[in-house]
């Protein structure tokens, strides 16, 4: 009802509605398109528009919370990725369905990669987070329900023994906390005779790796 549109569409519509000759309109459209408007920030676009029409606030509509409305879609994600790629380790794009076509277009057009299958494109983040999130939910639910009947035995049967059988590295968890590194630092500082080592004989780590 409000006739909202993207900044680029608003400029083109305004040019079309101007009471000017067709030659002048075409010239203004060409001038605007030369700026490659999809790549412009809001501030850059404003400055260029002021050069075309003179300053106007009618084009700068914001919602009540102060945000500018956007037109979602893959083109928006591509431009955002280009802008953020210099500052981010990971770029996120969420799609309605897992589409090879969309992921390849996003990767190629945002110039993040040149490979041609989704695994090699680097699209691992969504798959990992989705799988890990639900696998955590499944095992925690099973453990919680079993714990009500078996208490700590539920952990031993459902988690501990399964980790040992599958040789899961996290079974020996103390090394993940940096305990070994702290021990080395303490031994260095005390001349090799630290009495507070966490990984000494009898520690949990040693018991976990021993065979029953």
């Amino acid at each position: 009802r409000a006739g909202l549109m993207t900044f680029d569409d608003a400029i083109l519509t305004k040019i079309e509605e101007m009471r000017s000759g067709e030659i002048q309109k075409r010239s203004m459209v060409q001038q605007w398109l030369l700026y490659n408007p999809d790549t412009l920030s809001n501030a850059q676009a404003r400055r260029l528009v002021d050069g075309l029409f003179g300053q106007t606030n009618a084009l700068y509509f914001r919602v009540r919370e102060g945000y500018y409305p956007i037109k979602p879609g893959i083109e928006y994600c591509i431009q955002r990725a280009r802008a953020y790629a210099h500052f981010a380790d990971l770029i996120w794009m969420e799609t309605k369905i897992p589409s090879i076509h969309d992921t390849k277009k996003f990767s190629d057009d945002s110039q993040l990669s040149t490979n041609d299958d989704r695994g090699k494109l680097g699209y691992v983040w969504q798959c990992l987070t989705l799988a890990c999130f639900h696998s955590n939910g499944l095992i925690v639910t099973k453990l919680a329900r079993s714990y009500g009947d078996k208490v700590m035995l539920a952990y031993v049967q459902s988690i501990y023994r399964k980790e040992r059988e599958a040789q899961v590295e996290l079974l020996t968890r103390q090394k993940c906390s940096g305990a070994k590194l702290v021990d080395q630092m303490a031994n260095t500082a005390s001349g090799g005779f630290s009495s507070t080592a966490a990984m000494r004989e009898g520690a949990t780590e040693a018991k976990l790796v021993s065979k029953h």
Side-chain angles (χ1 to χ4, degrees), residues 148-159:
D149 297 324
K150 301 180 180 179
V151 197
M152 202 58 185
L153 182 61
Y155 162 72
V156 173
Q157 293 177 335
S158 302
I159 309 294

Side-chain angles (χ1 to χ4, degrees), residues 4 60-69:
L4 296 179
Y60 309 143
F61 173 78
R62 297 191 189 206
V63 296
R64 179 173 296 179
E65 294 83 359
Y67 303 116
Y68 291 103

Side-chain angles (χ1 to χ4, degrees), residues 137-151 154 158:
L138 173 62
I139 191 61
V140 169
T141 299
K142 292 175 66 175
L143 175 61
R145 290 171 179 170
S146 180
Y147 195 90
D149 297 324
K150 301 180 180 179
V151 197
S158 302

Side-chain angles (χ1 to χ4, degrees), residues 8 31-40 48 79 82:
D8 182 35
Q31 182 180 351
W32 173 247
L33 295 179
L34 283 175
Y35 297 139
N36 198 3
D38 285 343
T39 67
L40 299 174
L48 294 172
Q79 298 307 327
R82 286 179 175 177

